[in-house]
Amino acid sequence: MLRFGLRMEQVERGAFISSSMGGSCLRRHWCEHLVKSERLNGGRRLGFVRSCRPLASWKLSASPTSNRRGVHATRRLSSDSNESGALTPRAVNYAQWYLDVIAAAQLADTSPVKGTLVIRPLGWAIWESMRDELDRRIRRTGAQNVSFPLLIPQSFLSREAEHVQGFAKECAVVTHHRLRAVPDGAPGALEPDPSARLEEPLVVRPTSETIVWHMFGKWIQSYRDLPLMVNQWCNVVRWELRTRPFLRTLEFYWQEGHTAHATAAEANAKAREMLEVYRSFLAEWLAIPAIIGTKTASERFAGAEETFTIEAMMQNGWALQSGTSHFLGQNFARAFGVDYQGAESGARELVWATSWGVSTRLIGALIMIHSDDNGLVLPPSVAPIQVVIVPILPKDPTEKAEVLQRCQQMQEGLERAGVRVHNDRRENLRPGAKYFEWERRGVPLRIEVGIRDLQNQAMVLVNRRTRSKESLPLASNWTESIIARLEEFQAGLLRAAEAFLQQHTHRVNTYDELKSLIGANLHAAATEQDSSADEQRVAGFYLAPWHDNAENEAFIKQDCKMTIRCYPLDGQEEAQGKKCFYSGLPATHMALFARSY
Amino acid sequence: MDAAVSTELDGLSLGANATRERGGQTAEQTETQGQVVKRASSGESKKRVERETKEGIDCRKLENFSSWYQQVVIKADLIELYDISGCYIFRPWSFAIWEKIVEFFDAEIKKLGVQNAYFPLFVSERRLRTEQEHLEGFAAEVAWVTKSGSSELDEPIAIRPTSETIIYPAMSKWIRSHRDLPLKLNQWSNVVRWEFKHPTPFIRSREFLWQEGHTAYADRSEADHEVLQILELYRRVYEELLAVPVIKGTKSDRERFAGGLYTTTVEAFVPANGRAVQGATSHSLGQNFARMFGIYYEGKDSGEKLMPWQNSWGCTTRTIGVAVMVHGDDRGLVLPPRVAPLQVVIIPIITKSASADVISACEAICSCLQRANLRVKFDDRSEKTPGWKFNEWELRGVPLRIEVGPRDVQAGTATIARRDTMEKWSIRVPNHSISEEEDAFAQEIHQTLVRIQTNLFERASAERNARIRCVSDWGTFMQAIVQRCMALTPWCNLNECEERVRQQSVQDSLAYRERLATETDPSATDAVLSGAVKTLCMPFASELERLGLTNAAEWEAPAPEKQCFACNGPARRWALWGRSY
């Protein structure tokens, strides 16, 4: 599924480096790319005249925001801003565009506790349709759903040494079950009541390996109890300081699978199987092409022997780790004393483990990959509404009744065909306002029905992605045509994302080459304190022969802000006989470098 | 294998009193030591189950209910105990039941136009205090996060005990105009309440899973209508899915949701220990919360600022516990087919000579039932004896068992055993090349499952109905209570009166216990409950009619000459009283 074939070599790198505009060449290239695609799609030109918003860190605020259209004091997500105003174009401020898309589509809202997120009905409906499909796919692998508690005794976490190191700092810790008035304090001031201190502090689960393995110890006795495969859909908490809706929040929702196996080979195969489940789910269901591979030691999950990852490319060329599957070896089995009686030997042997998860972060990936300057674009597979019917109501009451009646019939026809359809009968909005609203909410297809269309036995069909219009005859098989359009929409999204991934994946053989490709970017990053400024410049993926070395990896991370996203599973043989692009030593891997969220 | 208990091989001729343990002479069975079981079959008064392995339940439901319950939820693999008191692990067997409930309820509320959303786990201390009256209801015994890693937070934050104070500030942002109404939101989530009462799996735990619905209407009558629509769905969850009869009604002032206008409830009853359980509640919040959280909308005509009418409603994993308590028996769990993770289990009775035939016959039955969308499992484990498997699946409450032995294969039959009644009978197995036969067979199995579902509900209803006493004076009231019944009384509907009943009932129970101790058997005193009696609900008129207690009109408005059973004041409502979880 990786398309690192010859076509990669045909990418015109010149576009990146030939500009005479110095620091802004990458941005310009990207703008051109967008304009070109907009033109191709028959869309509007981008407004280059807009000035950049002053950049400050994304700020969550408890008070109603004062953000108004045209006044961009801080980047923020708020239901108050941008519901009716224009979205910030990607070329102007990618980070703000992302927040604008979320606000305009009413996917999520801020919440009083800093860093947490309210997922609004449209956002949650998207998650539900992802969850339903992925849940089916996970069950097919033999895992059963369970529910483990939210709270974990702090001592559990310390049982696996690496694990606690990785997570201890970002755990929310429950210490008391009651507050009291501060003695001699200001009226209304409260503090934890010392008499309500818990005997042992409890952490809110950042992930559940420790409870799961504590229990696996009870449930696993003999080889007959293996493999044991459980999965849960739940909320987890990791104390993050720099948060961003869906991509990184204090609390997030996910699925976490945990399995126990008799042999290392079986566990390793399971970790790879789940990675493939994620990859195919992303491609087939979310229209997201991604690169799968293994993490370097420094990027591994705390406590894992091997971390498999699925890396997707956002529209600014940054990588988003979209799911991980870990081969945990016997680390957790050892820490929690989970062994089983072997089939032949009868001797006690330690169990082999995996864990794997994807989260609501996928909603962020969905937005960042498919959406455009007009708002959300959803693949039909996850769109809560796949088709919206907008009646264009004539003044004449008889004609109006006829239009409404036909729209009703069309709605019923599509429902019978299994299409998720909404008939927007609101009379207080003009059709244009409705188009605008449904575009922002990412409904894939819009049907416009006016009296003249009916007289012609036709309807106007508008594609959200290409924004192209066609007149579709209201023939006997019209619902089939709609379904075909939806399928084509889904396929088209995937094709576009695949092309983008290919275009922005480059091969480099020397460090100089990498630096010259990203040079302008680097320069800008050095002069601007705000890291979000360089989100603006298309980064891309860089594939290089690499000699595995943690120190060099750390240096490159500091020097270029790029990390090794993974050693792609496909194409590792290419490293043979090549020299590391950085150290010149014999290459051990092909490594994929990128900026990442 | 104990020869004395493995007398039957083919399963076709089991009489009512025959030992049920059957088994073969396969090598695995002698190796793995099927446990020794001597039990009576159905129809007989239940004899004590004797099991010598740790898998079985070693006490009786009616003799030691709480120990029985603990054993059932653990040994049937519903729950695993955990190191934090009051937190439990839902194993696949119980989580699958919850998923069935979720699936049903979620689809039904979506039909009503409710949208799911997800609100944060954490609530700031300031928000939690926004509403004093509401807070007192929870006495602020919640889990407080005071640290991230090792560093102290500026201000403690709480893990949600419920989400009103998280959701309503958001609602106040989202509701602007009458066009934004009705707003109907629901979330499926976990909540934490730091309870100190004795924890009971499913029934009372510190963390539980639930749905909480929060809706806002412009029109009061629409809001009132929804309260009842949701309550009806809760009734269906209990009665149609879990086969547990419930009584719908209104909570007394003392028992209603703090800060709300009125609370409606479905009340279930556990005959085995005489305790009622609040099944689920649907609250009308009136405009109190709108005022508190500043939720206003612009009216349709006048354009003035108006407050919406709000409801909230919730149903928890408690549902599972109630079903376990009501239907379970001395052998273990009895699951209603509609929520059972497995509806049918197929067990081969294998002998050396005919194992291949038996296995292929089982597989054919299994795939036939799978095609009919039944949840079926072919238990082909070779290391367990059939008897061991019977016990295990009975303990886990699978509604229907199909046994296939060599003689069955020859005769083209199989044996069916019902978990609810323990009846067994022989059934013709379809020829798998004839699809009509297969359809008829699947249909028959399906019909049997429907009969089991109905029987469970009717049985539980009859047991429950026998434990409702209509009383009108204190003496008979206490008599009903000590006999672990619910009492239906004419009542004045006054807060002070309920408070006095609570206190008096505790005193009288203690006095009764002492009298028992001195006059009769001291050991009998353990069986007397001493907790306070409270109102469970004031049943709807339609419910009293459904119960067949009297005609609805009279029950709705007791005649003025009727007096409150406790304070002798004028009776205003009929109230259902009992001890409750």
Side-chain angles (χ1 to χ4, degrees):
Chain A
M1 87 301 321
L2 276 186
R3 289 159 212 268
F4 282 135
L6 280 174
R7 290 166 64 191
M8 293 313 319
E9 307 294 346
Q10 298 161 2
V11 172
E12 291 172 79
R13 270 190 221 123
F16 275 87
I17 50 174
S18 64
S19 166
S20 58
M21 292 180 70
S24 62
C25 68
L26 286 171
R27 183 196 296 178
R28 176 150 166 252
H29 162 76
W30 187 40
C31 292
E32 281 167 359
H33 167 79
L34 291 173
V35 170
K36 207 156 48 181
S37 60
E38 288 284 334
R39 274 198 200 126
L40 284 174
N41 300 337
R44 300 172 310 191
R45 268 172 165 277
L46 288 171
F48 288 110
V49 289
R50 270 172 172 271
S51 60
C52 240
R53 294 178 180 195
L55 298 159
S57 60
W58 175 48
K59 199 165 115 190
L60 282 165
S61 165
S63 61
T65 171
S66 59
N67 208 359
R68 293 280 179 274
R69 212 194 313 180
V71 181
H72 308 295
T74 53
R75 286 195 294 130
R76 67 174 79 204
L77 166 70
S78 165
S79 59
D80 297 327
S81 68
N82 271 315
E83 272 185 25
S84 51
L87 308 187
T88 307
R90 286 161 289 181
V92 171
N93 185 335
Y94 187 76
Q96 183 61 47
W97 164 79
Y98 175 68
L99 297 177
D100 285 358
V101 171
I102 292 171
Q106 300 187 358
L107 293 173
D109 206 343
T110 57
S111 182
V113 173
K114 193 170 178 288
T116 61
L117 192 70
V118 173
I119 303 181
R120 301 184 70 173
L122 179 60
W124 195 254
I126 294 169
W127 175 245
E128 281 183 346
S129 69
M130 288 186 193
R131 182 198 62 193
D132 291 350
E133 174 63 17
L134 186 57
D135 193 60
R136 272 192 288 278
R137 292 176 185 230
I138 289 173
R139 280 176 205 266
R140 242 178 266 149
T141 69
Q144 292 183 297
N145 282 353
V146 290
S147 171
F148 283 88
L150 176 71
L151 300 171
I152 306 175
Q154 209 166 31
S155 58
F156 275 35
L157 212 62
S158 0
R159 297 268 283 275
E160 215 288 330
E162 281 184 29
H163 191 68
V164 67
Q165 264 189 5
F167 285 104
K169 280 183 197 148
E170 52 186 57
C171 281
V173 189
V174 177
T175 56
H176 293 75
H177 59 77
R178 195 171 55 237
L179 301 183
R180 67 170 188 185
V182 178
D184 309 321
L190 295 177
E191 64 177 12
D193 185 341
S195 70
R197 174 179 283 277
L198 303 183
E199 277 177 32
E200 183 185 357
L202 306 173
V203 301
V204 182
R205 63 182 164 218
T207 178
S208 301
E209 276 77 5
T210 54
I211 330 181
V212 169
W213 280 87
H214 177 67
M215 289 307 156
F216 276 9
K218 291 189 184 181
W219 300 340
I220 297 169
Q221 306 300 334
S222 116
Y223 69 94
R224 291 194 184 98
D225 300 322
L226 297 173
L228 182 57
M229 301 184 275
V230 299
N231 177 55
Q232 71 174 346
W233 295 88
C234 67
N235 51 349
V236 290
V237 170
R238 295 177 190 176
W239 213 266
E240 304 274 3
L241 292 174
R242 296 178 62 84
T243 54
R244 193 189 303 236
F246 299 119
L247 298 187
R248 183 171 286 112
T249 48
L250 215 78
E251 178 196 8
F252 58 91
Y253 222 87
W254 76 345
Q255 81 36 237
E256 51 176 325
H258 300 273
T259 68
H261 304 268
T263 65
E266 196 185 307
N268 204 302
K270 172 57 74 174
R272 287 166 184 269
E273 179 193 353
M274 296 320 295
L275 184 74
E276 174 55 23
V277 166
Y278 291 153
R279 191 207 58 76
S280 57
F281 168 71
L282 257 68
E284 293 161 13
W285 208 250
L286 308 182
I288 296 178
I291 292 173
I292 53 174
T294 56
K295 286 284 185 193
T296 63
S298 60
E299 299 274 330
R300 249 175 232 153
F301 175 75
E305 295 209 341
E306 185 86 274
T307 287
F308 297 93
T309 180
I310 173 157
E311 301 282 332
M313 187 189 281
M314 306 300 105
Q315 289 183 63
N316 63 349
W318 285 37
L320 183 74
Q321 178 180 304
S322 304
T324 47
S325 177
H326 314 289
F327 169 61
L328 301 173
Q330 295 177 310
N331 294 340
F332 284 90
R334 198 173 297 114
F336 288 89
V338 186
D339 53 15
Y340 71 98
Q341 196 163 15
E344 279 122 47
S345 63
R348 305 299 296 182
E349 291 173 40
L350 283 177
V351 167
W352 298 84
T354 78
S355 69
W356 25 273
V358 298
S359 73
T360 37
R361 185 170 237 222
L362 284 178
I363 302 174
L366 207 59
I367 299 165
M368 278 207 167
I369 290 174
H370 300 310
S371 297
D372 61 23
D373 289 348
N374 299 305
L376 192 63
V377 176
L378 288 174
S381 55
V382 298
I385 298 173
Q386 295 167 317
V387 177
V388 63
I389 301 171
V390 179
I392 298 163
L393 299 176
K395 288 219 169 68
D396 177 71
T398 336
E399 289 182 348
K400 180 176 160 184
E402 194 190 338
V403 170
L404 282 172
Q405 194 206 348
R406 294 302 291 271
C407 285
Q408 175 77 21
Q409 287 167 353
M410 289 165 79
Q411 178 190 353
E412 286 162 9
L414 285 171
E415 277 168 358
R416 272 195 301 277
V419 174
R420 295 191 289 274
V421 57
H422 177 73
N423 183 7
D424 188 350
R425 302 166 55 106
R426 287 176 295 178
E427 295 196 13
N428 62 306
L429 285 184
R430 283 176 299 111
K434 294 180 183 177
Y435 301 164
F436 185 68
E437 181 179 333
W438 295 115
E439 274 188 357
R440 303 181 140 210
R441 289 172 72 87
V443 175
L445 294 182
R446 177 174 82 228
I447 297 175
E448 304 169 5
V449 183
I451 191 72
R452 206 165 301 159
D453 299 311
L454 291 180
Q455 283 158 359
N456 296 335
Q457 284 295 307
M459 69 189 88
V460 173
L461 192 66
V462 185
N463 181 309
R464 171 65 187 84
R465 188 173 75 84
T466 61
R467 297 168 67 86
S468 58
K469 283 192 175 194
E470 66 172 314
S471 180
L472 191 71
L474 200 46
S476 60
N477 61 345
W478 71 276
T479 56
E480 286 162 35
S481 306
I482 297 282
I483 290 170
R485 298 292 188 287
L486 286 170
E487 282 167 0
E488 170 47 33
F489 191 103
Q490 179 94 18
L493 270 186
L494 180 62
R495 271 198 310 274
E498 279 173 342
F500 188 85
L501 175 62
Q502 279 181 28
Q503 272 172 33
H504 296 91
T505 303
H506 315 285
R507 287 159 185 278
V508 289
N509 287 310
T510 66
Y511 193 52
D512 285 345
E513 201 180 337
L514 174 72
K515 289 191 83 161
S516 72
L517 278 172
I518 63 166
N521 211 358
L522 199 64
H523 177 72
T527 54
E528 288 178 55
Q529 286 302 304
D530 191 332
S531 65
S532 64
D534 43 54
E535 267 182 61
Q536 211 44 40
R537 298 165 180 84
V538 174
F541 286 4
Y542 299 88
L543 189 65
W546 172 248
H547 182 88
D548 188 22
N549 179 306
E551 261 176 52
N552 293 345
E553 193 182 338
F555 178 82
I556 293 172
K557 185 176 178 181
Q558 213 192 348
D559 197 33
C560 308
K561 294 192 175 180
M562 285 200 166
T563 49
I564 298 180
R565 302 316 304 155
C566 68
Y567 298 148
L569 290 189
D570 284 5
Q572 280 303 318
E573 63 284 353
E574 271 184 56
Q576 280 174 11
K578 288 196 176 156
K579 285 190 173 151
C580 172
F581 88 121
Y582 181 76
S583 65
L585 294 168
T588 54
H589 296 90
M590 292 303 289
L592 190 71
F593 284 84
R595 297 294 304 264
S596 74
Y597 281 101
Chain B
M1 196 78 219
D2 188 330
V5 294
S6 57
T7 52
E8 297 290 332
L9 286 173
D10 59 11
L12 289 176
S13 56
L14 284 179
N17 292 311
T19 46
R20 291 178 47 263
E21 178 72 351
R22 307 180 309 175
Q25 286 75 34
T26 59
E28 292 91 338
Q29 285 167 356
T30 39
E31 267 171 28
T32 50
Q33 303 263 317
Q35 77 253 54
V36 179
V37 178
K38 292 173 192 155
R39 295 189 312 193
S41 189
S42 64
E44 294 294 293
S45 63
K46 296 218 171 66
K47 284 185 185 168
R48 191 176 184 90
V49 179
E50 292 173 20
R51 299 191 193 207
E52 291 166 12
T53 58
K54 67 180 172 65
E55 286 93 349
I57 290 167
D58 63 15
C59 65
R60 301 188 62 182
K61 187 181 183 185
L62 292 180
E63 282 169 8
N64 188 346
F65 181 76
S66 72
S67 165
W68 170 86
Y69 181 69
Q70 290 280 341
Q71 288 195 26
V72 168
V73 295
I74 292 167
K75 291 179 176 175
D77 288 347
L78 292 174
I79 282 286
E80 183 68 75
L81 299 180
Y82 183 50
D83 299 59
I84 302 173
S85 167
C87 295
Y88 302 96
I89 288 148
F90 284 63
R91 302 186 68 174
W93 201 245
S94 62
F95 199 74
I97 298 173
W98 180 238
E99 285 180 326
K100 291 276 172 298
I101 294 169
V102 172
E103 207 177 289
F104 167 82
F105 189 77
D106 199 62
E108 289 298 325
I109 58 174
K110 280 177 178 160
K111 283 185 211 162
L112 298 179
V114 177
Q115 296 179 297
N116 284 343
Y118 186 77
F119 291 83
L121 176 71
F122 293 125
V123 54
S124 68
E125 171 257 314
R126 204 166 356 107
R127 286 288 183 193
L128 199 61
R129 275 196 298 164
T130 305
E131 201 269 283
Q132 283 302 326
E133 190 184 1
H134 175 66
L135 184 65
E136 280 161 26
F138 290 105
E141 291 286 357
V142 302
W144 288 98
V145 174
T146 63
K147 290 179 179 177
S148 66
S150 52
S151 47
E152 299 279 333
L153 299 184
D154 292 342
E155 62 168 12
I157 56 172
I159 296 179
R160 62 182 164 216
T162 176
S163 301
E164 277 80 0
T165 58
I166 306 170
I167 294 178
Y168 298 163
M171 273 197 174
S172 77
K173 282 203 265 179
W174 300 341
I175 295 174
R176 291 288 154 87
S177 124
H178 64 92
R179 294 199 185 91
D180 299 323
L181 297 174
L183 181 61
K184 306 183 194 181
L185 299 174
N186 176 65
Q187 76 172 346
W188 295 92
S189 65
N190 49 352
V191 291
V192 174
R193 297 175 184 177
W194 219 255
E195 299 245 18
F196 286 94
K197 283 185 186 170
H198 183 61
T200 308
F202 299 117
I203 302 290
R204 188 185 299 113
S205 53
R206 283 181 172 166
E207 181 194 5
F208 56 84
L209 307 180
W210 75 343
Q211 60 65 222
E212 48 179 326
H214 296 271
T215 58
Y217 288 83
D219 184 46
R220 180 175 180 177
S221 63
E222 278 181 42
D224 285 339
H225 179 61
E226 188 209 64
V227 169
L228 296 181
Q229 276 183 317
I230 296 295
L231 196 69
E232 170 63 10
L233 290 180
Y234 290 150
R235 183 196 67 77
R236 291 179 61 196
V237 166
Y238 276 96
E239 299 198 338
E240 292 178 9
L241 268 63
L242 300 169
V244 171
V246 290
I247 296 172
K248 288 197 225 172
T250 312
K251 286 283 185 188
S252 70
D253 253 16
R254 196 185 180 285
E255 297 291 327
R256 75 178 160 81
F257 181 63
L261 208 57
Y262 63 89
T263 291
T264 63
T265 177
V266 289
E267 296 286 323
F269 182 72
V270 182
N273 72 346
R275 279 190 193 276
V277 193
Q278 176 178 302
T281 45
S282 176
H283 314 286
S284 159
L285 303 180
Q287 295 177 312
N288 297 346
F289 285 83
R291 192 174 298 114
M292 223 127 36
F293 289 91
I295 307 174
Y296 294 99
Y297 69 95
E298 207 168 291
K300 198 172 189 172
D301 311 312
S302 56
E304 63 185 318
K305 292 282 180 195
L306 299 170
M307 286 185 292
W309 295 85
Q310 288 178 276
N311 296 334
S312 75
W313 26 273
C315 180
T316 76
T317 37
R318 170 175 268 204
T319 42
I320 302 168
V322 175
V324 173
M325 287 182 164
V326 168
H327 300 305
D329 63 20
D330 289 349
R331 298 175 201 275
L333 207 55
V334 178
L335 289 174
R338 275 196 70 175
V339 296
L342 283 181
Q343 296 165 317
V344 181
V345 62
I346 301 167
I347 296 174
I349 315 295
I350 294 173
T351 59
K352 272 179 194 162
S353 54
S355 72
D357 289 351
V358 170
I359 284 172
S360 65
C362 288
E363 281 168 349
I365 294 173
C366 189
S367 61
C368 162
L369 296 179
Q370 269 167 350
R371 275 197 297 278
N373 283 325
L374 295 176
R375 297 189 288 276
V376 55
K377 181 187 172 75
F378 169 37
D379 184 354
D380 60 352
R381 287 175 294 179
S382 58
E383 74 275 12
K384 305 288 188 198
T385 64
W388 196 97
K389 293 177 185 175
F390 293 176
N391 290 330
E392 182 181 30
W393 294 115
E394 279 175 9
L395 175 60
R396 300 183 74 178
V398 175
L400 215 50
R401 179 177 76 227
I402 299 180
E403 306 160 11
V404 181
R407 230 178 278 176
D408 289 312
V409 175
Q410 279 174 8
T413 60
T415 302
I416 297 194
R418 264 173 78 156
R419 176 65 183 89
D420 60 333
T421 58
M422 303 303 289
E423 284 172 278
K424 287 177 70 155
W425 69 96
S426 181
I427 187 174
R428 280 214 67 78
V429 168
N431 181 335
H432 57 257
S433 54
I434 305 172
S435 67
E436 290 79 18
E437 275 193 27
E438 288 216 319
D439 291 350
F441 176 77
Q443 189 59 29
E444 187 171 346
I445 297 294
H446 181 258
Q447 285 306 321
T448 309
L449 291 169
V450 171
R451 281 197 294 276
I452 293 173
Q453 183 84 24
T454 310
N455 176 53
L456 284 176
F457 179 71
E458 284 172 357
R459 196 160 77 181
S461 299
E463 282 180 27
R464 195 264 327 256
N465 293 349
R467 303 286 281 280
I468 302 175
R469 302 272 173 83
C470 292
V471 299
S472 53
D473 64 83
W474 184 259
T476 47
F477 174 80
M478 277 314 294
Q479 201 174 13
I481 294 300
V482 297
Q483 288 170 357
R484 302 194 177 208
C485 292
M486 292 185 282
L488 188 68
T489 74
W491 187 45
C492 61
N493 194 12
L494 292 175
N495 225 345
E496 311 86 78
C497 182
E498 178 163 8
E499 197 53 51
R500 276 200 302 277
V501 170
R502 289 176 68 92
Q503 288 165 11
Q504 193 62 43
S505 64
V506 173
Q507 283 176 20
D508 284 15
S509 300
L510 289 172
Y512 175 73
R513 182 190 280 195
E514 265 173 44
R515 210 171 68 228
L516 266 187
T518 51
E519 288 173 8
T520 57
D521 177 10
S523 69
T525 59
D526 292 345
V528 179
L529 298 175
S530 60
V533 177
K534 63 180 189 181
T535 53
L536 305 171
C537 68
M538 294 178 280
F540 295 159
S542 54
E543 287 294 274
L544 294 165
E545 195 171 31
R546 193 159 73 103
L547 287 166
L549 287 167
T550 183
N551 77 59
E554 188 191 340
W555 286 97
E556 189 175 36
E561 62 268 24
K562 278 234 166 95
Q563 290 180 329
C564 169
F565 78 107
C567 71
N568 294 333
R572 292 189 183 86
R573 297 291 297 267
W574 289 87
L576 188 67
W577 302 75
R579 289 205 175 85
S580 182
Y581 270 102

